[in-house]
Amino acid sequence: MKKLLFILLIPSILIAEKPDRKQVLQHMNLAKSYFQGVWPDVTKVIVSPDKTRPSNIWTRAVFYEGLLELYKLDPRASDLKYMEDWGEFHHWSLRNGLKTRNADDQACGQVYLDLFDLKADSARIKPIKENIDNMIATEKSNDWSWIDCLQMSMPVFTRLGVRFKDERYFTKMHDLYTDTKVKLYNQQEHLWWRDKDFIPPYKEPNGTNCYWSRGNGWVFAALARTLDLMPANAPHRAEYVKDFQDMASALLPLQRKDGFYNVSLTDESNYGGPELTGTALFVYGMSWGIRQGILPASKYQKSVDKGWKAIDSCVQPNGFLAYVQGTGKEPKDGQPVTKTSVPNFEDFGAGCYLLAGSEILKAK
């Protein structure tokens, strides 16, 4: 009898608990409302010890990316106004003007283009289109020298290519992607070095290559957000799919037992512990991949469920998100990451959480 009981209990141990959809939406709105309460004025500049920044920088853009995905699932007039007021205040333009080639400046364009889909006002897309057209008009393709750029800019190129049915955007995007991939992607381990500073001989304390969780999360999310809109016959789509699948396979065994990923993906001794943003981006990408049939649910669903349970546990009663690593480029930045520590920027952490939650809600 004892042996039979043990056998019967095995399935309940192995099967990860499925997210409760009502609670997912409730927690997403709680996290969103907390941030909006801290930042009720969308025009307010962001002041930090090193400098003052306008509110259309990449950190804030990521929040709006997540908010927009939430809005599509749970439309609220107040959220739409919050997004439109932000875009209108900045005249739908970029932090460093129309000539900038900095991907961080272009991140806001993802939101502008998606808001254009809700209201076809040319003012919403004219600046970002002019900016990207300036890049297309040149042969230069080494602008994305750090991997965060892929998330900040690839979805912009994709949206323009789809909207205007112009493959030049896809071609230029691939030129930029290829330059970054050749320099920063480990073809054997299928993970990305954040920038040239972390290419071997640089190693983690335990002797492994240094793969920063959130940096790889940006790449993973960028591929998902690019593939989500790209036509089936778009040039280079197959390469993006393969890179996405290879990354997913490499990430799977790196997940902690508690569902999180360490900030250093291959060295838990280097500031190991729970961290929301990298984990959220992996949950977002894997859940999207399953929904699209690119990743098999039999292999990845348990990981998604564990990951969501982990990051959902970060939502505090007032909506504050725990365990968010602040801005930086490697595991040691923004430390310590704790349940009560407040990162130097709270916006992108909320955005990552909302992106993950949106895919959990879309799951079949």
Side-chain angles (χ1 to χ4, degrees):
M1 179 63 72
K2 289 183 178 179
K3 184 176 181 181
L4 177 61
L5 179 61
F6 176 75
I7 293 172
L8 292 173
L9 285 174
I10 288 177
S12 64
I13 295 171
L14 295 179
I15 298 174
E17 184 180 347
K18 299 294 292 182
D20 177 84
R21 298 174 68 84
K22 183 177 180 180
Q23 181 175 299
V24 172
L25 185 59
Q26 180 184 5
H27 281 192
M28 289 174 71
N29 276 304
L30 184 63
K32 168 213 66 177
S33 296
Y34 169 82
F35 180 78
Q36 290 176 332
V38 174
W39 291 90
D41 182 359
V42 298
T43 72
K44 187 177 180 181
V45 296
I46 303 169
V47 180
S48 56
D50 60 334
K51 64 194 301 185
T52 297
R53 299 171 175 85
S55 69
N56 61 345
I57 62 171
W58 72 266
T59 65
R60 192 58 51 87
V62 173
F63 171 76
Y64 282 104
E65 289 171 35
L67 180 60
L68 194 49
E69 293 305 315
L70 172 59
Y71 177 80
K72 292 174 185 177
L73 298 167
D74 184 26
R76 301 188 181 194
S78 58
D79 288 338
L80 180 59
K81 184 177 188 302
Y82 192 79
M83 292 186 285
E84 290 181 328
D85 286 352
W86 173 72
E88 288 171 0
F89 172 75
H90 292 291
H91 304 291
W92 308 98
S93 196
L94 291 68
R95 172 180 56 166
N96 287 309
L98 299 180
K99 299 295 184 181
T100 183
R101 299 179 69 97
N102 188 321
D104 285 350
D105 293 341
Q106 295 163 344
C108 58
Q110 297 183 48
V111 185
Y112 298 163
L113 287 159
D114 285 357
L115 286 173
F116 176 84
D117 289 339
L118 300 180
K119 182 180 178 181
D121 179 354
S122 61
R124 299 185 177 195
I125 62 171
K126 186 177 179 180
I128 187 62
K129 184 179 185 301
E130 182 175 339
N131 171 257
I132 300 300
D133 286 351
N134 287 336
M135 293 186 70
I136 288 177
T138 71
E139 294 184 3
K140 187 174 185 291
S141 60
N142 63 348
D143 299 279
W144 296 349
S145 58
W146 68 104
I147 58 176
D148 310 33
C149 295
L150 275 61
Q151 159 62 15
M152 306 308 157
S153 196
M154 282 183 74
V156 176
F157 279 83
T158 305
R159 281 159 170 73
L160 288 168
V162 170
R163 170 152 298 284
F164 293 100
K165 297 180 173 60
D166 189 339
E167 289 193 358
R168 291 182 306 157
Y169 294 103
F170 298 132
T171 300
K172 187 64 177 183
M173 177 176 70
H174 186 255
D175 290 344
L176 291 155
Y177 178 80
T178 299
D179 182 80
T180 308
K181 181 178 175 179
V182 167
K183 295 173 180 175
L184 301 177
Y185 182 54
N186 187 323
Q187 296 276 3
Q188 286 70 49
E189 296 185 305
H190 302 302
L191 295 170
W192 299 68
W193 293 291
R194 197 272 179 177
D195 57 49
K196 63 180 178 58
D197 293 341
F198 300 98
I199 296 174
Y202 186 96
K203 296 290 183 180
E204 288 289 72
N206 70 351
T208 62
N209 285 319
C210 180
Y211 301 119
W212 182 40
S213 176
R214 187 163 69 236
N216 278 269
W218 290 136
V219 177
F220 201 53
L223 291 170
R225 290 176 67 77
T226 294
L227 290 166
D228 190 53
L229 293 178
M230 283 187 85
N233 62 346
H236 313 295
R237 180 182 171 86
E239 178 184 349
Y240 299 137
V241 170
K242 184 179 186 306
D243 289 350
F244 179 81
Q245 292 172 327
D246 285 346
M247 279 194 74
S249 183
L251 289 166
L252 200 60
L254 301 178
Q255 188 175 28
R256 293 157 46 111
K257 291 181 179 179
D258 61 7
F260 287 101
Y261 291 79
N262 290 306
V263 291
S264 176
L265 287 174
T266 59
D267 188 355
E268 64 181 9
S269 72
N270 192 12
Y271 297 97
E275 200 284 314
L276 182 147
T277 59
T279 304
L281 292 168
F282 298 143
V283 169
Y284 169 70
M286 286 186 187
S287 186
W288 175 87
I290 293 170
R291 184 167 63 85
Q292 296 294 328
I294 294 175
L295 300 178
S298 59
K299 183 176 180 180
Y300 292 97
Q301 189 61 58
K302 182 179 178 181
S303 176
V304 168
D305 293 341
K306 284 173 56 181
W308 174 256
K309 186 175 181 180
I311 62 173
D312 197 44
S313 70
C314 296
V315 183
Q316 303 305 296
N318 66 346
F320 172 77
L321 293 174
Y323 300 110
V324 172
Q325 184 186 22
T327 57
K329 58 185 283 184
E330 59 182 306
K332 72 178 180 62
D333 292 331
Q335 297 290 344
V337 177
T338 68
K339 186 174 182 178
T340 58
S341 59
V342 180
N344 56 348
F345 292 81
E346 292 186 72
D347 39 15
F348 67 89
C352 292
Y353 176 79
L354 293 177
L355 285 172
S358 70
E359 277 301 324
I360 295 296
L361 289 176
K362 292 175 186 176
K364 297 177 182 178

